[in-house]
Amino acid sequence: MLRDARGKAVMDLEECDLSQLKEFGWKPPEAFKVKAADGVTELYGNMWKPFDFDPKRKYPIIANVYPGPQTEG
């Protein structure tokens, strides 16, 4: 969305079409919140599951941490 100096909408810049992804079973990530080991600090994350996720199966976990403004290794 392009806005003028006062915040008024001028025009849409682009539109996202996820219909083909959804046809294949794609779902957006699930946001979650857990407590850290200290029992106080809240940690936030996103979980992407396989398109054909089966809760009865076991899956590997890939933890990708973004610690700050630098790039990830």
Side-chain angles (χ1 to χ4, degrees), residues 3-4 9 12 21 23 28 32-33 40 43 54 56 68:
R3 297 181 181 272
D4 66 17
D12 289 330
L21 278 174
E23 285 178 24
F32 66 89
K33 176 174 65 171
V40 178
L43 303 174
D54 179 356
K56 296 176 186 173

Side-chain angles (χ1 to χ4, degrees), residues 53-64:
F53 179 75
D54 179 356
K56 296 176 186 173
R57 292 184 54 201
K58 291 185 178 184
Y59 296 89
I61 299 292
I62 300 172
N64 187 14

Side-chain angles (χ1 to χ4, degrees), residues 5-35:
R6 297 180 188 265
K8 180 182 173 188
V10 175
M11 64 184 280
D12 289 330
L13 296 175
E14 61 183 301
E15 186 174 319
C16 183
D17 180 6
L18 301 177
S19 61
Q20 288 183 330
L21 278 174
K22 289 179 180 180
E23 285 178 24
F24 285 103
W26 179 85
K27 294 178 182 156
E30 295 177 23
F32 66 89
K33 176 174 65 171
V34 296
K35 293 282 185 186

